[in-house]
Amino acid sequence: MDDNQLLRYSRHILLPEIGIDGQQKLLDSNVLLIGAGGLGAPVSLYLAASGVGRFTICDDDSVDLTNLQRQIVHFTDSIGEHKVESARRTLSRINPETIVTTVAERVAGERLEQLVRSADVVIDCTDNFATRHAINRACVKFSRPLVSGAGVRFDGQVAVFDLRRADSPCYHCLFPEGGDLEEMRCAVMGVFAPLVGIIGSIQAAEVLKLLMGVGRDLTGRLLLLDALTMEWRSVRLKKDPHCAVCASGDTTQRNAAEVCVRQ
Ligand SMILES: [Zn+2]
């Protein structure tokens, strides 16, 4: 690190849990961020400001006037522009040292697998189940940590699946594909602006911790927020031994998400 970097990251370096070694790990890391909307905005802002060395942002959408109420990485003069380009421009103003690669498409198939394989941590900031499951399958296949967030109306949730660990559940263990969970999208249901800021900021914190190997991440827990009452719940998650995506074969009992009250 040169003198400017020592200054830029000094408030991280002062933390004994991070120090120069931790900051250097961030500078050397490569993350994959899928979705440059309400959650992707705060995630990308914090990762760039924190000095994550390289990240790839994928989103096939363009900036729309209705996005600006909460997608704080985009500005009014970016309307009509690809979200990934708009985000890249903002992030380069915050930290010109972060290398941002943009992918203006809905990634799937081999392309998605290739991106997941080359990332240290994968961040799911998408808003549809099909993409979430595709990201999860690739993360299971290549044993990559997955930081997952969601927010609609006043309800938010965040979870980490550290798929480098054999005992970690995956997204499918929690929300099996084809289950009766109803897809709720902001465009139809509405979303409280700071909700995605809160959830996205937690995602960013978990990504940084995973990259540096500090603290205890959310693996095995799902955090649920009701922003109307500002009450949190923590749901303990277990790997589903019958999971169609991550189960190894030898099975004994079915997973039951055990709710532990922690308010
Ligand atoms: Zn699973």
Side-chain angles (χ1 to χ4, degrees):
M1 268 182 265
D2 60 29
D3 287 352
N4 269 325
Q5 288 175 310
L6 291 171
L7 282 174
R8 182 184 281 270
Y9 307 118
S10 58
R11 300 311 191 260
H12 258 175
I13 292 168
L14 279 170
L15 296 169
E17 294 82 356
I18 298 183
I20 294 219
D21 288 350
Q23 188 61 48
Q24 190 61 51
K25 282 182 191 163
L26 296 183
L27 295 171
D28 295 338
S29 46
N30 180 22
V31 305
L32 173 62
L33 170 60
I34 306 175
L39 296 167
V43 170
S44 62
L45 292 168
Y46 273 122
L47 295 187
S50 300
V52 167
R54 284 178 296 150
F55 57 94
T56 301
I57 309 181
C58 310
D59 200 310
D60 65 338
D61 208 0
S62 300
V63 180
D64 182 84
L65 181 59
T66 60
N67 301 149
L68 300 181
Q69 159 252 22
R70 67 198 177 284
Q71 301 185 10
I72 55 175
V73 74
H74 308 301
F75 295 89
T76 304
D77 61 8
S78 310
I79 289 173
E81 195 179 2
H82 273 299
K83 284 187 178 177
V84 288
E85 276 312 310
S86 159
R88 191 189 52 74
R89 202 171 55 245
T90 304
L91 301 174
S92 72
R93 290 179 64 197
I94 292 173
N95 190 346
E97 292 172 359
T98 291
I99 299 164
V100 178
T101 304
T102 57
V103 180
E105 57 186 271
R106 181 167 288 206
V107 287
E110 266 185 42
R111 179 82 169 119
L112 174 61
E113 289 198 348
Q114 179 194 28
L115 289 166
V116 166
R117 195 169 43 212
S118 62
D120 299 313
V121 173
V122 177
I123 313 152
D124 183 351
C125 295
T126 63
D127 62 357
N128 71 86
F129 285 130
T131 309
R132 285 181 182 279
H133 281 290
I135 295 167
N136 179 62
R137 279 193 296 273
C139 288
V140 169
K141 183 171 179 180
F142 298 106
S143 305
R144 292 294 185 270
L146 170 61
V147 178
S148 176
V152 71
R153 296 189 294 209
F154 290 89
D155 301 317
Q157 62 184 44
V158 57
V160 174
F161 307 98
D162 188 352
L163 298 158
R164 297 170 301 186
R165 290 168 40 178
D167 63 340
S168 171
C170 80
Y171 183 79
H172 191 281
C173 294
L174 180 58
F175 300 116
E177 204 164 7
D180 52 7
L181 216 69
E182 197 187 342
E183 191 159 284
M184 297 193 291
R185 303 185 67 175
C186 301
V188 188
M189 312 299 294
V191 59
F192 185 47
L195 174 77
V196 285
I198 297 167
I199 299 296
S201 299
I202 293 176
Q203 286 183 276
E206 294 299 294
V207 171
L208 297 178
K209 284 160 54 189
L210 284 162
L211 292 172
M212 294 185 291
V214 303
R216 184 168 68 95
D217 65 61
L218 267 176
T219 292
R221 279 187 296 156
L222 170 70
L223 272 189
L224 298 159
L225 171 66
D226 175 355
L228 268 183
T229 55
M230 213 46 87
E231 282 181 352
W232 292 89
R233 276 193 310 145
S234 179
V235 179
R236 197 158 294 164
L237 307 174
K238 287 182 189 153
K239 190 181 174 89
D240 178 359
H242 297 273
C243 176
V245 176
C246 74
S248 53
D250 52 334
T251 57
T252 44
Q253 64 186 100
R254 203 154 186 86
N255 170 58
E258 156 201 343
V259 178
C260 59
V261 181
R262 194 181 298 176
Q263 292 186 353

